[in-house]
Amino acid sequence: MSEAPTAVSAQPRTPDTALSQTERDAIDVAIGDLGLGAKTWVHLTLEQRARLMERLHASVTAVAAEWADAAATAKGLEPGHPLRGEDWLGGPYGVLTALTAYRSTLLKLARGQSPLTDVKTDAAPGGRVRAHVFPLGATDGILLSGFTGEVWFEPGVTAEEARRTAGLGQLAPTTSGGVGLVLGAGNVTSIPVLDVLYELLSGNCVSLLKLNPTQDPLLAVFERALAPLIEPGFVRIVRGGGEMGAYLTGHPAIEHVHITGAAPTFETIVWGPSTGAGEAATLQRKRENRPKLEKPITAELGGVSPIIVVPGVWTEADLRFQAEHIATMRLQNAGHNCIAGQVVLMSSDWPQRDAFLDALRTAYQAAPRRSAWYPRSTEKLAGAASDYPDATWFAEGTRALVVIGADEDATAIETTEYFTPVLGVVSLPGNGQEFLDTAVAHANEKLTGTLGANVLIDPQTQAALGDGFDNAIAALRYGSIAINAWSAFVYLTPTLTWGGFPGATLDEVESGIGVVHNALLLDHVERSVTHGPFRPFPRSVSSAFGAGRFSVLPKPPWFVSSRTGARVSEGFTRFQMNQDWVKLVATLTQAFRA
């Protein structure tokens, strides 16, 4: 077994600078190590793999505080900033919960059981079967009270087939998936680690992880967190920019590529550059359906996420809470999320439309100040200003609200993933089912991407719509759908699946191909659906006497308006680290002060 090396690194370079021979040699050594690691992996039993998840849990726990601090500091969030909690949840929390869930799946498979053993399945609209995969235990129900999650399978898949095929690569643990390349995302620090884990467990594929340059400050943390995978040759980490990525995707020893990023990057990898000297060759390859990349690729690529606000009779408290909810969907992580809500679809006939817009402006303005830290943010904000010169700007010009008028063109806001704090409001006619059906069709046909959609609806209106509401949800062509929640909840819940809606192709990639996370290792998945409480505690108490969902959370810790979000997010993560119930009580006390 070879000694684990430090990460291969590339010095800053101009885009046209080729890799040095020293760098190429180091990459070849790393890939050679992975080739040996791939042979080692297939000899591990399922029980040994479960123990490996335990070792990883311990190694992530050991660096969790440093991880969260380094991630927040790199984004300009100084100690004490109220939004530093996002780097606990979007970093070590997401990985720790995934490791626990993967371990459970491996132990079930080792006992000859399906990962869906003891998981409720029932019918979903359109001849589908769904599995109720969250919560699966009392702890989840306590920490995230009022939230539930389902995985919907493709039409025609039976419950028996879903149970039989659950396990993916771990149903054939001695079949190697070879050496793969994971091109890590740069915006959320758990993404590259979770992608590496999924490659290993879904397809028995060891990984060369290339960090996005924005996550270079996390290199030492990742090396220690992933040490149990690095030591036996299951993972190697490299650094570098586009030239490094291009060399790796074309390397003959790489058998599979996974990318989390943007559609233009995917297009360049698969077909070639869309501008400059290589543009003609790229167009020729597309015409001939002859991709430049001659190996399988999976991808998660983001898009423009809708927030459908179904008209109803809302209290002033409802208006304020859901306005803060939408502000969170756009402003969390400074808007640098592939799942950030970007277009609010509202009814032009809703009597409370103006009141809700007022509440939304207030919430958007009041959210804590922060910098737009991701590369090209200034350029993208300038693009939005050019697209919509009448936009309203908040927080010293760092966030925009674009209310599309009756005669204005919504094309830019609906097709450009700004990846910065730019929020649009588009009005559509109708009330009740008419509006909902119109909004679903609009989201499907007008908005770029299929990654995630959000629907806000009060319990009385949802109950009145009945099957019409369920059928509308089934008609939404998105890989994750959040009802009275934000679809980022799907990302953070390991037993749910994360990816675009099925049907994407290399030349029409939409929000990507395949899924990740998926800790139950389910096959033939169509989408994940999560439900949350429309009203927080104590107003959720009314649900015990009528429609709606009860929750003990006054305000979820990921809300940008949560006064105690940073402390609660850290406390939730520390509970995943040590299962200390006494300290959890203190964390929940802080949650009640949100």
Side-chain angles (χ1 to χ4, degrees), residues 189-205:
T189 59
S190 59
I191 291 175
V193 178
L194 291 173
D195 289 351
V196 163
L197 290 173
Y198 191 65
E199 289 288 288
L200 189 61
L201 293 172
S202 67
N204 294 315
C205 185

Side-chain angles (χ1 to χ4, degrees), residues 117-465:
T117 298
D118 301 324
V119 176
K120 177 185 175 183
T121 58
D122 61 10
R128 298 171 174 87
V129 166
R130 64 185 166 195
H132 297 262
V133 300
F134 184 89
L136 291 180
T139 300
D140 289 337
I142 293 172
L143 290 180
L144 297 165
S145 172
F147 289 86
T148 59
E150 311 154 2
V151 171
W152 291 23
F153 296 92
E154 294 172 344
V157 176
T158 65
E160 189 280 329
E161 183 180 5
R163 293 181 187 279
R164 177 173 48 81
T165 58
L168 297 178
Q170 301 314 296
L171 295 176
T174 60
T175 301
S176 175
V179 178
L181 171 66
V182 171
L183 297 172
N187 59 322
V188 176
T189 59
S190 59
I191 291 175
V193 178
L194 291 173
D195 289 351
V196 163
L197 290 173
Y198 191 65
E199 289 288 288
L200 189 61
L201 293 172
S202 67
N204 294 315
C205 185
V206 301
S207 291
L208 183 69
L209 167 61
K210 191 197 87 65
L211 293 183
N212 185 292
T214 64
Q215 293 198 0
D216 282 353
L218 276 294
L219 172 60
V221 169
F222 288 153
E223 287 179 330
R224 298 205 302 280
L226 293 175
L229 298 182
I230 293 173
E231 291 163 3
F234 303 153
V235 169
R236 288 291 182 265
I237 305 175
V238 300
R239 298 172 54 231
E243 194 66 31
M244 175 70 82
Y247 178 73
L248 292 173
T249 56
H251 198 289
I254 295 293
E255 300 174 58
H256 175 261
V257 176
H258 177 79
I259 176 175
T260 296
T265 304
F266 177 91
E267 293 276 337
T268 299
I269 292 171
V270 173
W271 299 104
S274 59
T275 59
E279 180 180 5
T282 297
L283 292 174
Q284 179 77 9
R285 280 190 289 270
K286 282 190 171 184
R287 283 193 297 268
E288 297 173 357
N289 192 25
R290 184 172 45 84
K292 176 183 177 182
L293 185 73
E294 298 179 341
K295 59 192 69 174
I297 183 170
T298 53
E300 186 265 281
L301 302 175
V304 175
S305 292
I307 307 165
I308 299 173
V309 180
V310 183
V313 180
W314 293 13
T315 67
E316 289 188 12
D318 293 337
L319 295 171
R320 288 194 302 271
F321 179 77
Q322 296 301 343
E324 293 175 16
H325 200 173
I326 291 176
T328 295
M329 295 181 198
R330 180 69 269 183
L331 297 178
Q332 200 267 359
N333 200 26
H336 309 316
N337 288 326
C338 57
I339 200 59
Q342 181 164 305
V343 175
V344 181
L345 298 178
M346 293 178 60
S347 169
S348 56
D349 300 319
W350 186 25
Q352 293 180 286
R353 176 182 180 276
D354 291 343
F356 187 65
L357 279 176
D358 288 343
L360 182 56
R361 291 187 186 98
T362 298
Y364 208 57
Q365 166 69 13
R369 301 292 192 272
R370 65 180 306 170
S371 299
W373 60 270
Y374 203 75
R376 298 181 59 210
S377 293
T378 301
E379 175 186 335
K380 292 186 177 183
L381 287 171
S386 175
D387 293 334
Y388 296 102
D390 294 330
T392 303
W393 290 84
F394 300 91
E396 301 175 343
T398 59
R399 60 187 74 151
L401 180 63
V402 181
V403 180
I404 302 295
D407 299 324
E408 289 186 275
D409 186 1
T411 300
I413 198 76
E414 293 182 335
T415 59
T416 304
E417 184 186 7
Y418 285 110
F419 214 65
T420 52
V422 179
L423 179 66
V425 178
V426 174
S427 295
L428 302 172
N431 279 300
Q433 192 70 52
E434 177 191 5
F435 167 80
L436 180 56
D437 290 343
T438 298
V440 167
H442 190 94
N444 286 341
E445 297 165 11
K446 300 291 186 180
L447 273 60
T448 293
T450 64
L451 185 60
N454 312 277
V455 180
L456 304 179
I457 183 169
D458 66 89
Q460 290 73 27
T461 300
Q462 183 175 341
L465 295 180

